[in-house]
Amino acid sequence: MIRLLHNKLVAGEITAVDLAKQYLKTIKEKDGEFGAYLTVLEKQALEEAVIVDERLKRGETIDLLAGIPGAIKDNILMEGIRATSASKILDNYIAPYDATVIAKLKAVHTVMLGKTNMDEFALGSSTENSAYQVTKNPYDLTRVPGGTSGGSAAAVAGSEAVWALGSDTGGSIRQPAAFCGVVGLKPTYGRVSRYGLMAGASSLDQIGPIAQTVEDVAIVFSRIAGYDPHDATSADSGHGKKYEDYLGGDVRGKKIGIPKEYFSSDLDPKIRVLCDQALEYFKSLGIEVREISLPHSSFALPAYYIIQPCEVSSNFARYDGIRYGLSINDEKSSVEEKSTLLETYLDTRRHGFGPEVKRRIMLGTYSLSSGYYDAYYLKAQKVRALLKQDFEKAFEEVDFIFSPTTPEPAFKIGEKTTDPLKMYLGDIYTITANLTGVPALSFPIGTVSEDGKELPIGGQLQGRWFDEETLLCVADAFEKEYERCHSV
Ligand code: GLN
């Protein structure tokens, strides 16, 4: 889709301003229903589009992504723009600088339409934890779009953006992409700079793209990836790689592993059928499919729900009512009413944070406290090392690991809000990529019928560390094979 729009821009069939206006109009018409955006940046978007049109008029070559309208998750900083992370504690927070990914996107003159809704501080799986609004799944408005990048996925699925950025700590790009029938990439840890991404769990967080097709994801990814001296965990490799140039390469002879632990009898039979069908498509592309074992898989979820809250509890100490955002103390007017420092901390955090944030802070603080650290945090880190070993072993035998992205299609709004454990269990297939750091891509593999509606299902491929090009190449071949088989 991006290439098509780019060609039209270059051929003068459309202008960047018209394109931006068309998307802004769709947002105006539909976003009351979808609730994907927290902030719409009409003025900035149009100003950027004017610049692109002027460059075109002067006969300058423009980047593939120039003038193509996209959306940004609200936990990524854009200078001068409100960034709430869907939390009341940052209700009045204006970002003082651009995240590296934003600076890179500005440099290629892409058009950013606005900031998207999410679960508060990227904690959740449905976008219902937003302090502002519920985002709805464009496929069925009674269902969640997934989370935590639910606004980004819904914006793309609902034609309110061509592409979007999300962040993924345990599945937050891939799960909403799966629920909304679009493509989402969690890059290898270290591939995309986290500078200017509000920290959740720093050893797990990655920014990545969501779009309609694998090629579109590759195009956006190329423009945000790369080394950044501002992020100490950023990897010094893959400079200037154009991932879209790898698509269409030879995939014959590649090997996909099917972990027997992921395909137990608990898997929804309707999803299993779609996975089996997907594997047939891979085979018809000349890809070999074989069973593998990831023996420590069952420990991934408990390890994640210790490590993630531990890092969250430590990172979130910064929201103290002093440095940024809400400060309950500020709101008290008279001298007699002024709070002590401790009261400021407690009141600000009590009023500013929602229930899931408080739950994670409590879980993390408990696991890190003296006497419990060894039993929880240390043990979880050991499990993390074992999971990494499982993957290293698997990648000696196969090039990719395939699974569904989620154990079920998009669920009903409100269905899991009172049962956090149920919500956490849905992350079973996505969290391991974050714990091990490998790149993982979710892409549509078909739909299932629920209450007379067709709901999208995502398949997930996990690849070797820093080998996004082969991952995208194989997924792109799959997408074309799927289209070929479904268009006859
Ligand atoms: N659902 C997971 C969690 O709540 C993942 C969130 C994310 O990737 N940001 O932690």
Side-chain angles (χ1 to χ4, degrees):
M1 190 173 183
I2 293 177
R3 204 177 282 280
L4 195 85
L5 292 169
H6 171 78
N7 291 343
K8 285 188 174 183
L9 283 172
V10 172
E13 289 167 33
I14 49 167
T15 66
V17 168
D18 284 345
L19 191 60
K21 278 188 180 158
Q22 179 197 321
Y23 276 86
L24 289 164
K25 184 166 169 259
T26 310
I27 294 171
K28 267 195 197 120
E29 284 167 6
K30 290 206 208 159
D31 211 52
E33 208 167 30
F34 296 154
Y37 283 89
L38 287 174
T39 307
V40 178
L41 301 169
E42 182 163 353
K43 192 167 158 276
Q44 277 103 325
L46 289 171
E47 278 168 9
E48 195 62 56
V50 166
I51 293 174
V52 173
D53 285 337
E54 280 168 1
R55 291 174 73 109
L56 282 166
K57 247 190 242 147
R58 288 198 298 267
E60 289 175 30
T61 44
I62 57 162
D63 186 78
L64 258 180
L65 202 56
I68 310 291
I72 309 295
K73 189 175 181 177
D74 206 33
N75 59 351
I76 299 173
L77 306 189
M78 287 176 75
E79 189 181 342
I81 307 294
R82 182 172 179 238
T84 65
S85 231
S87 179
K88 284 287 174 207
I89 212 163
L90 292 181
D91 192 51
N92 59 1
Y93 179 66
I94 305 295
Y97 64 94
D98 278 333
T100 296
V101 292
I102 298 299
K104 284 179 174 243
L105 290 171
K106 283 184 176 173
V108 297
H109 298 286
T110 192
V111 166
M112 292 180 259
L113 298 167
K115 306 291 300 290
T116 54
N117 196 26
M118 54 186 284
D119 286 295
E120 183 178 3
F121 285 118
L123 303 172
S125 307
S126 64
T127 311
E128 290 165 296
N129 293 338
S130 167
Y132 298 96
Q133 65 202 34
V134 173
T135 301
K136 295 177 182 143
N137 190 315
Y139 278 82
D140 177 349
L141 298 176
T142 67
R143 291 176 190 268
V144 302
T148 59
S149 315
S152 288
V156 172
S159 303
E160 295 183 325
V162 179
W163 57 271
L165 289 190
S167 67
D168 191 312
T169 305
S172 278
I173 289 173
R174 292 160 287 156
Q175 185 255 25
F179 280 9
C180 292
V182 292
V183 183
L185 172 69
K186 185 214 73 90
T188 309
Y189 184 77
R191 182 58 106 198
V192 176
S193 168
R194 293 182 295 109
Y195 181 70
L197 167 71
M198 290 182 198
S202 306
S203 78
L204 303 163
D205 300 340
Q206 270 291 284
I207 295 172
I210 296 176
Q212 298 271 5
T213 65
V214 175
E215 188 191 31
D216 287 358
V217 158
I219 291 170
V220 179
F221 177 53
S222 303
R223 279 139 190 92
I224 58 169
Y227 175 67
D228 178 13
H230 290 307
D231 174 0
T233 60
S234 150
D236 197 357
S237 69
H239 295 283
K241 232 180 209 171
K242 289 276 180 283
Y243 292 89
E244 62 273 21
D245 293 347
Y246 292 83
L247 309 186
D250 193 10
V251 298
R252 300 189 74 80
K254 296 275 178 241
K255 296 185 193 74
I256 289 183
I258 309 299
K260 60 174 191 252
E261 294 81 3
Y262 287 14
F263 286 85
S264 70
S265 52
D266 302 342
L267 181 63
D268 180 338
K270 284 194 212 157
I271 294 188
R272 177 180 281 267
V273 167
L274 290 177
C275 286
D276 288 344
Q277 189 195 72
L279 293 173
E280 289 308 315
Y281 292 148
F282 281 123
K283 284 184 199 159
S284 61
L285 290 165
I287 292 169
E288 197 187 306
V289 173
R290 62 165 81 155
E291 190 180 270
I292 57 162
S293 175
L294 297 171
H296 298 95
S297 294
S298 62
F299 303 113
L301 199 78
Y304 173 87
Y305 275 100
I306 290 171
I307 293 169
Q308 198 266 6
C310 285
E311 293 189 23
V312 161
S313 70
S314 147
N315 269 326
F316 286 20
R318 73 192 63 188
Y319 303 108
D320 56 4
I322 307 286
R323 282 177 289 185
Y324 353 67
L326 179 73
S327 178
I328 294 291
N329 195 11
D330 278 355
E331 286 167 12
K332 298 191 174 168
S333 48
S334 71
V335 177
E336 308 86 76
E337 251 194 288
K338 286 280 180 227
S339 319
T340 65
L341 184 62
L342 184 61
E343 277 166 2
T344 301
Y345 291 162
L346 295 176
D347 289 346
T348 303
R349 290 164 70 88
R350 184 179 301 121
H351 290 102
F353 286 145
E356 186 60 32
V357 180
K358 289 178 185 161
R359 184 176 297 119
R360 302 280 173 118
I361 291 173
M362 285 192 280
L363 283 170
T365 309
Y366 181 84
S367 305
L368 287 174
S369 47
S370 137
Y372 297 103
Y373 178 93
D374 289 356
Y376 294 104
Y377 184 71
L378 188 64
K379 198 169 229 162
Q381 290 291 20
K382 288 179 179 168
V383 169
R384 188 174 186 178
L386 291 171
L387 290 164
K388 200 159 175 228
Q389 277 172 23
D390 281 359
F391 271 52
E392 279 162 357
K393 264 219 184 100
F395 286 132
E396 284 170 15
E397 234 187 291
V398 295
D399 303 296
F400 305 101
I401 296 167
F402 177 76
S403 68
T405 308
T406 60
E408 57 180 1
F411 46 88
K412 293 268 185 192
I413 291 168
E415 194 181 319
K416 297 189 186 187
T417 36
T418 52
D419 189 345
L421 206 55
K422 236 184 178 174
M423 195 74 95
Y424 299 169
L425 285 170
D427 300 337
I428 186 95
Y429 297 117
T430 48
I431 39 153
T432 318
N434 303 78
L435 289 168
T436 59
V438 297
L441 183 85
S442 177
F443 50 98
I445 58 166
T447 57
V448 296
S449 280
E450 297 265 345
D451 314 330
K453 293 246 164 67
E454 289 300 312
L455 301 178
I457 298 295
Q460 174 180 248
L461 277 178
Q462 302 183 71
R464 289 196 181 92
W465 292 268
F466 298 107
D467 189 11
E468 281 90 354
E469 54 265 40
T470 322
L471 180 66
L472 290 160
C473 180
V474 164
D476 174 66
F478 173 89
E479 189 180 77
K480 298 203 166 105
E481 179 66 8
Y482 183 91
E483 266 165 36
R484 195 180 64 79
C485 295
H486 285 255
S487 61
V488 283

mmCIF file of all heavy atoms in Angstrom, residues 115-141:
data_model
loop_
_atom_site.group_PDB
_atom_site.id
_atom_site.type_symbol
_atom_site.label_atom_id
_atom_site.label_comp_id
_atom_site.label_asym_id
_atom_site.label_seq_id
_atom_site.Cartn_x
_atom_site.Cartn_y
_atom_site.Cartn_z
ATOM 1 N N LYS A 115 -1.607 10.805 17.994
ATOM 2 C CA LYS A 115 -1.126 9.890 19.022
ATOM 3 C C LYS A 115 -2.259 8.926 19.387
ATOM 4 O O LYS A 115 -3.399 9.344 19.565
ATOM 5 C CB LYS A 115 -0.704 10.677 20.271
ATOM 6 C CG LYS A 115 0.297 11.780 20.019
ATOM 7 C CD LYS A 115 1.695 11.281 19.629
ATOM 8 C CE LYS A 115 2.400 10.406 20.630
ATOM 9 N NZ LYS A 115 2.844 11.094 21.836
ATOM 10 N N THR A 116 -1.920 7.657 19.504
ATOM 11 C CA THR A 116 -2.980 6.648 19.658
ATOM 12 C C THR A 116 -3.155 6.137 21.087
ATOM 13 O O THR A 116 -2.221 6.112 21.889
ATOM 14 C CB THR A 116 -2.722 5.453 18.732
ATOM 15 O OG1 THR A 116 -1.400 4.960 18.974
ATOM 16 C CG2 THR A 116 -2.869 5.852 17.275
ATOM 17 N N ASN A 117 -4.367 5.682 21.318
ATOM 18 C CA ASN A 117 -4.748 5.161 22.637
ATOM 19 C C ASN A 117 -4.036 3.844 22.921
ATOM 20 O O ASN A 117 -3.595 3.137 22.005
ATOM 21 C CB ASN A 117 -6.272 4.953 22.661
ATOM 22 C CG ASN A 117 -6.803 4.786 24.072
ATOM 23 O OD1 ASN A 117 -6.212 5.271 25.044
ATOM 24 N ND2 ASN A 117 -7.923 4.087 24.209
ATOM 25 N N MET A 118 -3.952 3.511 24.192
ATOM 26 C CA MET A 118 -3.197 2.335 24.631
ATOM 27 C C MET A 118 -3.633 1.974 26.043
ATOM 28 O O MET A 118 -4.334 2.748 26.693
ATOM 29 C CB MET A 118 -1.707 2.673 24.630
ATOM 30 C CG MET A 118 -1.375 3.939 25.444
ATOM 31 S SD MET A 118 0.343 4.457 25.325
ATOM 32 C CE MET A 118 1.102 3.244 26.396
ATOM 33 N N ASP A 119 -3.223 0.823 26.525
ATOM 34 C CA ASP A 119 -3.395 0.542 27.954
ATOM 35 C C ASP A 119 -2.448 1.455 28.714
ATOM 36 O O ASP A 119 -1.309 1.684 28.269
ATOM 37 C CB ASP A 119 -3.028 -0.915 28.261
ATOM 38 C CG ASP A 119 -4.075 -1.894 27.769
ATOM 39 O OD1 ASP A 119 -5.202 -1.849 28.296
ATOM 40 O OD2 ASP A 119 -3.766 -2.700 26.876
ATOM 41 N N GLU A 120 -2.885 1.950 29.842
ATOM 42 C CA GLU A 120 -2.066 2.874 30.635
ATOM 43 C C GLU A 120 -0.647 2.329 30.812
ATOM 44 O O GLU A 120 -0.462 1.200 31.294
ATOM 45 C CB GLU A 120 -2.725 3.090 32.014
ATOM 46 C CG GLU A 120 -1.961 4.081 32.857
ATOM 47 C CD GLU A 120 -2.635 4.355 34.212
ATOM 48 O OE1 GLU A 120 -3.674 3.728 34.519
ATOM 49 O OE2 GLU A 120 -2.094 5.189 34.968
ATOM 50 N N PHE A 121 0.330 3.113 30.397
ATOM 51 C CA PHE A 121 1.746 2.753 30.484
ATOM 52 C C PHE A 121 2.067 1.390 29.864
ATOM 53 O O PHE A 121 2.998 0.704 30.296
ATOM 54 C CB PHE A 121 2.254 2.810 31.932
ATOM 55 C CG PHE A 121 2.456 4.213 32.415
ATOM 56 C CD1 PHE A 121 1.722 4.701 33.489
ATOM 57 C CD2 PHE A 121 3.350 5.054 31.788
ATOM 58 C CE1 PHE A 121 1.897 6.015 33.928
ATOM 59 C CE2 PHE A 121 3.533 6.365 32.221
ATOM 60 C CZ PHE A 121 2.811 6.846 33.288
ATOM 61 N N ALA A 122 1.274 0.988 28.887
ATOM 62 C CA ALA A 122 1.520 -0.276 28.158
ATOM 63 C C ALA A 122 1.440 -1.497 29.065
ATOM 64 O O ALA A 122 2.229 -2.436 28.950
ATOM 65 C CB ALA A 122 2.854 -0.217 27.401
ATOM 66 N N LEU A 123 0.473 -1.458 29.978
ATOM 67 C CA LEU A 123 0.231 -2.605 30.858
ATOM 68 C C LEU A 123 -1.178 -3.116 30.589
ATOM 69 O O LEU A 123 -2.156 -2.443 30.934
ATOM 70 C CB LEU A 123 0.372 -2.199 32.323
ATOM 71 C CG LEU A 123 1.725 -1.574 32.689
ATOM 72 C CD1 LEU A 123 1.690 -1.037 34.116
ATOM 73 C CD2 LEU A 123 2.841 -2.601 32.549
ATOM 74 N N GLY A 124 -1.282 -4.268 29.968
ATOM 75 C CA GLY A 124 -2.592 -4.828 29.651
ATOM 76 C C GLY A 124 -2.561 -5.539 28.324
ATOM 77 O O GLY A 124 -1.496 -5.683 27.706
ATOM 78 N N SER A 125 -3.719 -5.972 27.869
ATOM 79 C CA SER A 125 -3.792 -6.715 26.610
ATOM 80 C C SER A 125 -5.057 -6.372 25.839
ATOM 81 O O SER A 125 -5.481 -7.134 24.975
ATOM 82 C CB SER A 125 -3.783 -8.216 26.896
ATOM 83 O OG SER A 125 -2.701 -8.580 27.713
ATOM 84 N N SER A 126 -5.699 -5.249 26.155
ATOM 85 C CA SER A 126 -6.992 -4.970 25.532
ATOM 86 C C SER A 126 -7.249 -3.483 25.278
ATOM 87 O O SER A 126 -8.290 -3.144 24.716
ATOM 88 C CB SER A 126 -8.104 -5.506 26.438
ATOM 89 O OG SER A 126 -8.095 -4.796 27.669
ATOM 90 N N THR A 127 -6.356 -2.624 25.734
ATOM 91 C CA THR A 127 -6.529 -1.162 25.671
ATOM 92 C C THR A 127 -7.663 -0.678 26.580
ATOM 93 O O THR A 127 -7.987 0.506 26.608
ATOM 94 C CB THR A 127 -6.671 -0.663 24.195
ATOM 95 O OG1 THR A 127 -5.601 -1.248 23.434
ATOM 96 C CG2 THR A 127 -6.532 0.828 24.017
ATOM 97 N N GLU A 128 -8.237 -1.588 27.356
ATOM 98 C CA GLU A 128 -9.275 -1.172 28.310
ATOM 99 C C GLU A 128 -8.687 -0.457 29.525
ATOM 100 O O GLU A 128 -9.407 0.191 30.272
ATOM 101 C CB GLU A 128 -10.078 -2.390 28.780
ATOM 102 C CG GLU A 128 -10.965 -2.977 27.687
ATOM 103 C CD GLU A 128 -11.454 -4.360 28.057
ATOM 104 O OE1 GLU A 128 -10.607 -5.277 28.182
ATOM 105 O OE2 GLU A 128 -12.660 -4.552 28.232
ATOM 106 N N ASN A 129 -7.356 -0.608 29.731
ATOM 107 C CA ASN A 129 -6.742 0.073 30.877
ATOM 108 C C ASN A 129 -6.408 1.533 30.597
ATOM 109 O O ASN A 129 -5.758 2.172 31.411
ATOM 110 C CB ASN A 129 -5.451 -0.641 31.298
ATOM 111 C CG ASN A 129 -5.723 -2.025 31.865
ATOM 112 O OD1 ASN A 129 -6.830 -2.301 32.326
ATOM 113 N ND2 ASN A 129 -4.739 -2.905 31.820
ATOM 114 N N SER A 130 -6.801 2.059 29.453
ATOM 115 C CA SER A 130 -6.591 3.482 29.188
ATOM 116 C C SER A 130 -7.404 4.303 30.183
ATOM 117 O O SER A 130 -8.552 3.965 30.477
ATOM 118 C CB SER A 130 -7.050 3.826 27.763
ATOM 119 O OG SER A 130 -7.136 5.224 27.604
ATOM 120 N N ALA A 131 -6.814 5.393 30.686
ATOM 121 C CA ALA A 131 -7.557 6.262 31.608
ATOM 122 C C ALA A 131 -8.527 7.153 30.844
ATOM 123 O O ALA A 131 -9.302 7.885 31.449
ATOM 124 C CB ALA A 131 -6.577 7.109 32.411
ATOM 125 N N TYR A 132 -8.478 7.144 29.517
ATOM 126 C CA TYR A 132 -9.265 8.098 28.724
ATOM 127 C C TYR A 132 -10.451 7.509 27.974
ATOM 128 O O TYR A 132 -11.533 8.069 27.997
ATOM 129 C CB TYR A 132 -8.342 8.837 27.745
ATOM 130 C CG TYR A 132 -7.306 9.635 28.490
ATOM 131 C CD1 TYR A 132 -6.033 9.118 28.708
ATOM 132 C CD2 TYR A 132 -7.628 10.863 29.033
ATOM 133 C CE1 TYR A 132 -5.088 9.824 29.440
ATOM 134 C CE2 TYR A 132 -6.689 11.587 29.763
ATOM 135 C CZ TYR A 132 -5.422 11.057 29.972
ATOM 136 O OH TYR A 132 -4.508 11.759 30.700
ATOM 137 N N GLN A 133 -10.236 6.404 27.275
ATOM 138 C CA GLN A 133 -11.325 5.900 26.436
ATOM 139 C C GLN A 133 -11.098 4.433 26.098
ATOM 140 O O GLN A 133 -9.977 3.928 26.201
ATOM 141 C CB GLN A 133 -11.425 6.712 25.129
ATOM 142 C CG GLN A 133 -10.214 6.566 24.230
ATOM 143 C CD GLN A 133 -10.068 7.721 23.253
ATOM 144 O OE1 GLN A 133 -10.403 8.856 23.557
ATOM 145 N NE2 GLN A 133 -9.531 7.450 22.068
ATOM 146 N N VAL A 134 -12.171 3.788 25.685
ATOM 147 C CA VAL A 134 -12.076 2.389 25.248
ATOM 148 C C VAL A 134 -11.952 2.411 23.729
ATOM 149 O O VAL A 134 -12.723 3.093 23.048
ATOM 150 C CB VAL A 134 -13.332 1.597 25.669
ATOM 151 C CG1 VAL A 134 -13.321 0.197 25.081
ATOM 152 C CG2 VAL A 134 -13.428 1.532 27.186
ATOM 153 N N THR A 135 -10.977 1.698 23.199
ATOM 154 C CA THR A 135 -10.856 1.579 21.744
ATOM 155 C C THR A 135 -11.589 0.314 21.316
ATOM 156 O O THR A 135 -11.552 -0.701 22.014
ATOM 157 C CB THR A 135 -9.371 1.516 21.338
ATOM 158 O OG1 THR A 135 -8.736 2.700 21.793
ATOM 159 C CG2 THR A 135 -9.201 1.402 19.835
ATOM 160 N N LYS A 136 -12.258 0.405 20.178
ATOM 161 C CA LYS A 136 -13.044 -0.748 19.712
ATOM 162 C C LYS A 136 -12.391 -1.403 18.498
ATOM 163 O O LYS A 136 -11.720 -0.754 17.710
ATOM 164 C CB LYS A 136 -14.460 -0.292 19.388
ATOM 165 C CG LYS A 136 -15.133 0.169 20.663
ATOM 166 C CD LYS A 136 -16.507 0.694 20.452
ATOM 167 C CE LYS A 136 -17.047 1.158 21.794
ATOM 168 N NZ LYS A 136 -17.853 2.357 21.659
ATOM 169 N N ASN A 137 -12.654 -2.687 18.365
ATOM 170 C CA ASN A 137 -12.092 -3.435 17.246
ATOM 171 C C ASN A 137 -12.906 -3.146 15.978
ATOM 172 O O ASN A 137 -14.117 -3.387 15.965
ATOM 173 C CB ASN A 137 -12.137 -4.930 17.575
ATOM 174 C CG ASN A 137 -11.359 -5.754 16.568
ATOM 175 O OD1 ASN A 137 -11.466 -5.555 15.360
ATOM 176 N ND2 ASN A 137 -10.565 -6.677 17.075
ATOM 177 N N PRO A 138 -12.279 -2.623 14.929
ATOM 178 C CA PRO A 138 -13.041 -2.292 13.712
ATOM 179 C C PRO A 138 -13.782 -3.491 13.105
ATOM 180 O O PRO A 138 -14.748 -3.300 12.375
ATOM 181 C CB PRO A 138 -11.978 -1.764 12.752
ATOM 182 C CG PRO A 138 -10.878 -1.287 13.627
ATOM 183 C CD PRO A 138 -10.881 -2.192 14.822
ATOM 184 N N TYR A 139 -13.346 -4.713 13.409
ATOM 185 C CA TYR A 139 -14.047 -5.891 12.889
ATOM 186 C C TYR A 139 -15.343 -6.181 13.629
ATOM 187 O O TYR A 139 -16.231 -6.842 13.113
ATOM 188 C CB TYR A 139 -13.146 -7.138 12.971
ATOM 189 C CG TYR A 139 -12.196 -7.234 11.820
ATOM 190 C CD1 TYR A 139 -11.004 -6.514 11.822
ATOM 191 C CD2 TYR A 139 -12.481 -8.039 10.727
ATOM 192 C CE1 TYR A 139 -10.130 -6.590 10.761
ATOM 193 C CE2 TYR A 139 -11.615 -8.118 9.660
ATOM 194 C CZ TYR A 139 -10.446 -7.394 9.681
ATOM 195 O OH TYR A 139 -9.583 -7.462 8.624
ATOM 196 N N ASP A 140 -15.415 -5.756 14.879
ATOM 197 C CA ASP A 140 -16.601 -5.988 15.698
ATOM 198 C C ASP A 140 -16.521 -5.005 16.866
ATOM 199 O O ASP A 140 -15.673 -5.151 17.759
ATOM 200 C CB ASP A 140 -16.612 -7.442 16.208
ATOM 201 C CG ASP A 140 -17.787 -7.725 17.131
ATOM 202 O OD1 ASP A 140 -18.485 -6.764 17.551
ATOM 203 O OD2 ASP A 140 -18.010 -8.904 17.460
ATOM 204 N N LEU A 141 -17.412 -4.020 16.840
ATOM 205 C CA LEU A 141 -17.298 -2.921 17.809
ATOM 206 C C LEU A 141 -17.618 -3.344 19.241
ATOM 207 O O LEU A 141 -17.413 -2.574 20.174
ATOM 208 C CB LEU A 141 -18.199 -1.753 17.380
ATOM 209 C CG LEU A 141 -17.852 -1.127 16.027
ATOM 210 C CD1 LEU A 141 -18.854 -0.042 15.648
ATOM 211 C CD2 LEU A 141 -16.428 -0.556 16.023
#
